[in-house]
Amino acid sequence: MTNNISPKIAYINGDPFALQEGETILSFVRRHTTYDRVPTLCDAPNLEPFGSCRVCSVEVGLKEDGPYKTQASCHTPALAGSYIVTDSQKIQHLRKNIVELVVTDHPLDCDHCDANNNCELQTVAKRLGVTDARYPEGRNHFDALPDTSHPYMRSDLSKCINCYRCIRACDEVQGELVLSMAGRAFDATVIKGNNVSFFDSDCVSCGACAQACPTSAITDIFDSKSNDFEKKVRTTCTYCGVGCNLEVAVKDGKVKSIQAPYDAEVNQGHTCLKGRYAFSFYNHQDRITSPMIRRNGELESVSWDEAYQYIAGKLTEIKNNYGPNAIAGISSARCTNEENYLMQKFIRAVIGTNNIDCCARVCHSPTALGMQKSFGTGAATNSIEELVDADCVMIIGANPTEAHPVTGAKLKQHAMKGKLTIVIDPRRTTLAQYATYHLALRPGTNVALLNMMLYYIITEGLEDKAFIENRTAGYQEFKEQILALDMDEMEAITHVEKSLVKKAAVAYASSKNAMSFHGLGVTEHSYGTYAVMLISDLAMITGNLGRRATGVNPLRGQNNVQGAADMGCQPYQGAGYLNAYDPEINKKYELAYKTPIPIDEGLKISEMFEASIEGKLKALWLMGEDVVQSDPNTNKVIKAMESLDLLIVQEIFITETAKYADVILPGATFLEKSGTFTNGERRVQRVNKVVEPLPGTKPDGQIISEIMNVMGYSQNDYDPADMLDEISKIVPFFAGITWENLGKNGKQWPVKTDGTDTKILHGETFPLGKGRFNFVDFAESTELLDNEKDYPYILTTNRNLEHYNAGTMTRRTNNVHIITEDVLLINPLDAANHLIHDGDLVCIESARGKVDIKAKVTDEVRPGILSSTFHFPEVMLNIITSDVSDVEASCPEYKIVACNIRKSKGKYKTLNH
Amino acid sequence: MGVQLLLEHLNKPEINTIDGYIKQGGYRTLDKVLGKMTPDEVTEEVKTAGLRGRGGAGFPTGMKWSFLDKSTDKPRYLLCNADESEPGTFKDRLLMEKIPHLLIEGMIVSSYALGCRTSYIYIRGEYMFILRILEKAIKEAYAKGFLGENIKGSGYSLDLYVHPGAGAYICGEETALIESLEGKRGNPRIKPPFPAVSGLWGCPTIVNNVESIAAVVPILNMGGSEYAKIGIGRSTGTKLISASGNINKPGVYEIELGLPVEEFIYSDEYCGGIKGGLDIKACVPGGSSVPILPKSLLFKESNGNPRLMSYESLSEGGFETGSMLGSGGFIVYDEKQCIVKNTWTFARFYHHESCGQCSPCREGTIWLDKVLYNIEHGLGKESDIDLLWDIQHGIEGNTICPLGDAAAWPVAAAIRHFRHEFEYHVKYPHRVKDDDHVYQPEMNYTTA
């Protein structure tokens, strides 16, 4: 029979099974039997085969009657027609011998170990019947000292079995290269950095090593591997727009630990320190646990009823006296789709105004607008997972290794493999250090630089003529305008050598599949929308659209900023981006909301502040938005808050904004509610309630639906499945979404009624029909034109890995022990000119005001450029940022602040916690 | 002395300089090969010659070359493995120290055959003085235009570098060598992919031993078929043997393959017999990793034919009755040597040199060391002998690289052929406490 076997068949313990091209023996056996059919120690689902533990050995013969050879199944390719014996006596003996050797150097104190009953060594040893070792006493590693230096990470290398999983996770998953092996043979031991502690190493606390460790040699303060929990709930992370799936262990009604599920399509068993470890804010003592009303200048706790009655009375009064347009709402990209939908419905249907906006305004509104103008849809065209097939990656104005860590890690892997990577950023970010080309432009000159790239693609004849011909419009005129530009002039504007730009442009245009990613470094400018349009032009001119591993991919900032915009939290577009000012279209909403809907133009966030200061806006409802700390020109924002008659803040903590509130309503965190978030790749994913809301708090959707009812609108109780049902009837691209069919990994919109989702947009055609080429010429920001004389430095804002935006949540976790304050990045030359040393307190002054901040002298920024974060209210960096904003989308220009510096006279400030 | 192909000019004046080397006919192959023969023709000559890897494994060099992936436009690399660090093996050292240009000439023509633009000699860190010799020789070769751009107007260009290891035996394993050359920790890689497809920096790579590369020079000078006539059967050509142990004339000898073992040990041309007129007890014929052969199996194969210095004859009968030619590290033991002590010495070496990647090797080598220490020092138990057997059995064939096998084989062979010595140690612990003890049951030990 051996002569007649099909070439696609191999045998497992005598039975034939179909073989897949190129699979290993282990995956072949796992696919056809059970996952644990063959025991393993060094194998992990998200790591490359390694072959070091040899416990997965099996016998393989090319003929049924042998001879058989012992081979490690994890990395040996399965051969067609081969005979695999998984558990022969010889193999069992071998495995037992190996594990016996391993346990000779393992403290068998399982009962006291946090990984007890969830330890892979324990499981394998038990299965093979290894209880004790035949070996005499000898040298061992039991005296290895535990490392407790870090706020999260722990190691106890006496439990290490040298499987390299932590090292490989650090290399292959996170790409941080912190862990490595030192010493040889029996002395081989895992070290961090140059054999320092976790805290002193460059560890970014992603926890990939802790999750990968088969024992508990590397773990964390939450004993993440412990089996001591009541249930595990899968949910979606609340931090950035990557949308990692999390698996939350719950004990005694409290969150015990968080791991990343391996079957998550978004994050494949990986997440960052925010997702994995920074959850302890949820039951922090600072949580607001009762509604409050300001009376005689003091906030007093009141009942929910009293708060609702008070709000309803005040809002009705303002509406009666000044009209509905004197009231505005700002929704939250931190909240669920359902809550955002309810918020805009409340403002439009109950209050009767289009004064609704959300924080997409201050981050990616130019992306939405720019891409709508180019393609017709303002969302990422492709999916992150496609990165593996990308030949070229272009990252513009984004620092994903800090702001979108899991996507950042994937991009870093791409760059570290030596694949073509172009980074356009004023700062030498981590990715810039690994990039093929780093175009370190002067802040605010994206438009000029992108035009240079377009120019060289045209002059080098690298356009995709077929794509331009078939899929786009307006190219001829566009081409003429681009070719009319003077490259020497552009070089002088951008401060980037034109030869370098040309190389990068040629590389991008010559790649088969080129993906572009952009972040707030593109959008938070006076001409952000234009830069987005040019990025779209680059994709169109090279035909990098509608295919796998191509496209224009904004890295959306917040967990649900995509969703908040999708749900209609902007004045000019309702749920599903339908024109809110068109009476015909509005009829659809009126039918659904069963009430008249306004068509007056509404206010954007910055306009709300203006209106408030001018006395036109009387009441503002903020759902989960700390405008005082996070919006630019703090003093102006504070003035706007103070000018209001009624400021309602729905929050989990007393934020800088909440300090000005007239009414505070205690909302709930993502761990305490259900709903959906839409990540940066249009993936609608379920958020599942993990624990009950803290006593006294309510899910934000619940609060909105209750106030709607109090104000006379009949709205069902907040129930995500119910809400999704309503949304799917209004939002066209949600048509096929139900709570049930979202499943574990969600669906990427548009979702057809039959439930099929869309990984790649614009495959055949654009929503606009043809893609539009839009030419824009460079213009200098008015911030610089007006102020550069007195304020010669340019400050550009950035993000830290450890903190999230205003830091409201992350500052209430151990993350604050890792990064304790905002610092100012300053080039050594500038520092020397001002006699500033590393760690000195520096005063930065702009036309708006001044702040004191600690200096970090680094060549990460070029001379003349400064950079800092605004995570800490102690610094309040936004006091100096400008309220100049994008000419099209009103997104504030956080990325350019004309300023001056000097050594501070003030005393060094410390944190108060 | 038989035919000398590599060491023929060993004692010629100034053979270590390029002029002295050229005077003896050195660098002739450049004129013969570069631009005159196609790379494939060179490979074909090496195949015809039947040259087998001189590092120890004995894999046909020409066949290895033909595995080089030529389907990609990636650069290809030839790496010379000069990480000679096995106890008892010191042949490459002599070659590089005395006739460095032979290796460089071999590197040039071999690189030409493989289409390499850049090649490396990865040399054992302890051979730093030889690294300097090689670098001086390379400099001389560049000056003569034998290296660099457009060698001798042939259009072929090659850059050659010497890179030192940092004291790890494991870096002599070809994939660990590649890792080390890339600047990483020298851990062996899993195969496939093999280096010929994805080696140095992910590019097609061939790793050859110093002696193999040097042998390419006489092969091209005399022609592959002439070379194949030397030797016996599939063991063609000559082989450098580093002889050590209790012999009268330790040193490096170039032998024609097929020389009887007995002749090699007792002939005055070679080892010159056992020191002090003692009897021979055993011999490790191919470097510390190959099985030890007792006197009874050393001179005759199990079928009664004389045992020859060839790949086939030395491995006759598998490990039951044979051993391996290996790297040619020929260690001879007289009747007074203690096999347990010797085995422990080897075990200690492999314990020290295991990279620690694979569990069986990392944990197994230390236990071989510990258990052998105990037996050797009179602390052993009867069951320890079986335990040793179990440990070595668990290592052999169950590791990523052959270091595991190398650690297991000497222990297995020692127990297989000299089990009585182990039993003696366990039975008479007080008699073996002395460090200089000699195992000789018939000698009447007095109680210590």
Side-chain angles (χ1 to χ4, degrees), chain B residues 169-184:
Chain B
Y169 168 66
I170 188 63
C171 292
E173 194 279 334
E174 61 177 5
T175 56
L177 186 153
I178 290 169
E179 289 276 302
S180 173
L181 195 54
E182 288 181 0
K184 301 181 202 149

mmCIF file of all heavy atoms in Angstrom, chain B residues 169-184:
data_model
loop_
_atom_site.group_PDB
_atom_site.id
_atom_site.type_symbol
_atom_site.label_atom_id
_atom_site.label_comp_id
_atom_site.label_asym_id
_atom_site.label_seq_id
_atom_site.Cartn_x
_atom_site.Cartn_y
_atom_site.Cartn_z
ATOM 1 N N TYR B 169 32.968 26.883 22.086
ATOM 2 C CA TYR B 169 33.109 25.719 21.209
ATOM 3 C C TYR B 169 31.902 25.583 20.297
ATOM 4 O O TYR B 169 32.029 25.217 19.132
ATOM 5 C CB TYR B 169 33.272 24.481 22.086
ATOM 6 C CG TYR B 169 33.163 23.149 21.387
ATOM 7 C CD1 TYR B 169 34.110 22.752 20.453
ATOM 8 C CD2 TYR B 169 32.130 22.276 21.694
ATOM 9 C CE1 TYR B 169 34.011 21.513 19.832
ATOM 10 C CE2 TYR B 169 32.031 21.039 21.085
ATOM 11 C CZ TYR B 169 32.967 20.655 20.147
ATOM 12 O OH TYR B 169 32.867 19.431 19.551
ATOM 13 N N ILE B 170 30.714 25.937 20.822
ATOM 14 C CA ILE B 170 29.479 25.742 20.058
ATOM 15 C C ILE B 170 29.501 26.529 18.752
ATOM 16 O O ILE B 170 28.837 26.168 17.795
ATOM 17 C CB ILE B 170 28.251 26.133 20.928
ATOM 18 C CG1 ILE B 170 26.925 25.761 20.239
ATOM 19 C CG2 ILE B 170 28.249 27.605 21.264
ATOM 20 C CD1 ILE B 170 26.763 24.281 20.018
ATOM 21 N N CYS B 171 30.287 27.593 18.694
ATOM 22 C CA CYS B 171 30.308 28.406 17.472
ATOM 23 C C CYS B 171 31.000 27.697 16.320
ATOM 24 O O CYS B 171 31.043 28.205 15.204
ATOM 25 C CB CYS B 171 30.928 29.765 17.730
ATOM 26 S SG CYS B 171 29.882 30.751 18.804
ATOM 27 N N GLY B 172 31.523 26.513 16.573
ATOM 28 C CA GLY B 172 32.027 25.696 15.484
ATOM 29 C C GLY B 172 30.908 24.948 14.796
ATOM 30 O O GLY B 172 31.100 24.384 13.716
ATOM 31 N N GLU B 173 29.724 24.921 15.412
ATOM 32 C CA GLU B 173 28.551 24.339 14.758
ATOM 33 C C GLU B 173 28.101 25.372 13.736
ATOM 34 O O GLU B 173 28.001 26.556 14.034
ATOM 35 C CB GLU B 173 27.459 24.068 15.792
ATOM 36 C CG GLU B 173 26.337 23.178 15.324
ATOM 37 C CD GLU B 173 25.282 23.886 14.490
ATOM 38 O OE1 GLU B 173 25.102 25.104 14.639
ATOM 39 O OE2 GLU B 173 24.634 23.216 13.681
ATOM 40 N N GLU B 174 27.803 24.939 12.501
ATOM 41 C CA GLU B 174 27.729 25.919 11.422
ATOM 42 C C GLU B 174 26.646 26.980 11.630
ATOM 43 O O GLU B 174 26.868 28.150 11.318
ATOM 44 C CB GLU B 174 27.598 25.247 10.052
ATOM 45 C CG GLU B 174 26.358 24.388 9.859
ATOM 46 C CD GLU B 174 26.298 23.822 8.435
ATOM 47 O OE1 GLU B 174 27.254 24.024 7.681
ATOM 48 O OE2 GLU B 174 25.295 23.194 8.101
ATOM 49 N N THR B 175 25.481 26.609 12.172
ATOM 50 C CA THR B 175 24.450 27.639 12.322
ATOM 51 C C THR B 175 24.741 28.556 13.512
ATOM 52 O O THR B 175 24.423 29.735 13.485
ATOM 53 C CB THR B 175 23.047 27.018 12.465
ATOM 54 O OG1 THR B 175 23.050 26.115 13.571
ATOM 55 C CG2 THR B 175 22.643 26.280 11.205
ATOM 56 N N ALA B 176 25.387 28.001 14.553
ATOM 57 C CA ALA B 176 25.795 28.848 15.670
ATOM 58 C C ALA B 176 26.879 29.811 15.215
ATOM 59 O O ALA B 176 26.921 30.972 15.624
ATOM 60 C CB ALA B 176 26.296 27.997 16.832
ATOM 61 N N LEU B 177 27.747 29.319 14.331
ATOM 62 C CA LEU B 177 28.798 30.158 13.764
ATOM 63 C C LEU B 177 28.170 31.343 13.024
ATOM 64 O O LEU B 177 28.601 32.488 13.166
ATOM 65 C CB LEU B 177 29.646 29.315 12.817
ATOM 66 C CG LEU B 177 30.903 29.934 12.191
ATOM 67 C CD1 LEU B 177 31.904 28.833 11.863
ATOM 68 C CD2 LEU B 177 30.609 30.720 10.944
ATOM 69 N N ILE B 178 27.112 31.038 12.280
ATOM 70 C CA ILE B 178 26.436 32.103 11.524
ATOM 71 C C ILE B 178 25.828 33.123 12.484
ATOM 72 O O ILE B 178 25.963 34.328 12.305
ATOM 73 C CB ILE B 178 25.362 31.486 10.590
ATOM 74 C CG1 ILE B 178 26.040 30.713 9.459
ATOM 75 C CG2 ILE B 178 24.442 32.559 10.040
ATOM 76 C CD1 ILE B 178 25.112 29.856 8.636
ATOM 77 N N GLU B 179 25.151 32.614 13.525
ATOM 78 C CA GLU B 179 24.564 33.522 14.520
ATOM 79 C C GLU B 179 25.643 34.414 15.123
ATOM 80 O O GLU B 179 25.475 35.622 15.266
ATOM 81 C CB GLU B 179 23.889 32.721 15.642
ATOM 82 C CG GLU B 179 22.611 32.029 15.240
ATOM 83 C CD GLU B 179 21.393 32.934 15.314
ATOM 84 O OE1 GLU B 179 21.121 33.474 16.398
ATOM 85 O OE2 GLU B 179 20.730 33.118 14.283
ATOM 86 N N SER B 180 26.755 33.802 15.479
ATOM 87 C CA SER B 180 27.843 34.539 16.108
ATOM 88 C C SER B 180 28.398 35.589 15.158
ATOM 89 O O SER B 180 28.656 36.722 15.531
ATOM 90 C CB SER B 180 28.942 33.567 16.539
ATOM 91 O OG SER B 180 30.070 34.262 16.992
ATOM 92 N N LEU B 181 28.549 35.196 13.898
ATOM 93 C CA LEU B 181 29.063 36.132 12.903
ATOM 94 C C LEU B 181 28.095 37.306 12.715
ATOM 95 O O LEU B 181 28.504 38.429 12.436
ATOM 96 C CB LEU B 181 29.266 35.388 11.572
ATOM 97 C CG LEU B 181 30.118 36.060 10.505
ATOM 98 C CD1 LEU B 181 31.482 36.438 11.046
ATOM 99 C CD2 LEU B 181 30.285 35.124 9.318
ATOM 100 N N GLU B 182 26.807 37.040 12.894
ATOM 101 C CA GLU B 182 25.814 38.106 12.794
ATOM 102 C C GLU B 182 25.818 38.991 14.040
ATOM 103 O O GLU B 182 25.052 39.934 14.144
ATOM 104 C CB GLU B 182 24.406 37.526 12.603
ATOM 105 C CG GLU B 182 24.183 36.927 11.235
ATOM 106 C CD GLU B 182 22.768 36.379 11.065
ATOM 107 O OE1 GLU B 182 21.966 36.471 12.014
ATOM 108 O OE2 GLU B 182 22.481 35.859 9.976
ATOM 109 N N GLY B 183 26.647 38.642 14.998
ATOM 110 C CA GLY B 183 26.739 39.469 16.201
ATOM 111 C C GLY B 183 25.825 39.005 17.315
ATOM 112 O O GLY B 183 25.642 39.693 18.304
ATOM 113 N N LYS B 184 25.251 37.832 17.159
ATOM 114 C CA LYS B 184 24.335 37.343 18.191
ATOM 115 C C LYS B 184 25.009 36.286 19.046
ATOM 116 O O LYS B 184 26.124 35.852 18.776
ATOM 117 C CB LYS B 184 23.095 36.741 17.526
ATOM 118 C CG LYS B 184 22.342 37.716 16.653
ATOM 119 C CD LYS B 184 21.133 37.015 16.078
ATOM 120 C CE LYS B 184 20.642 37.712 14.828
ATOM 121 N NZ LYS B 184 20.044 36.771 13.908
#
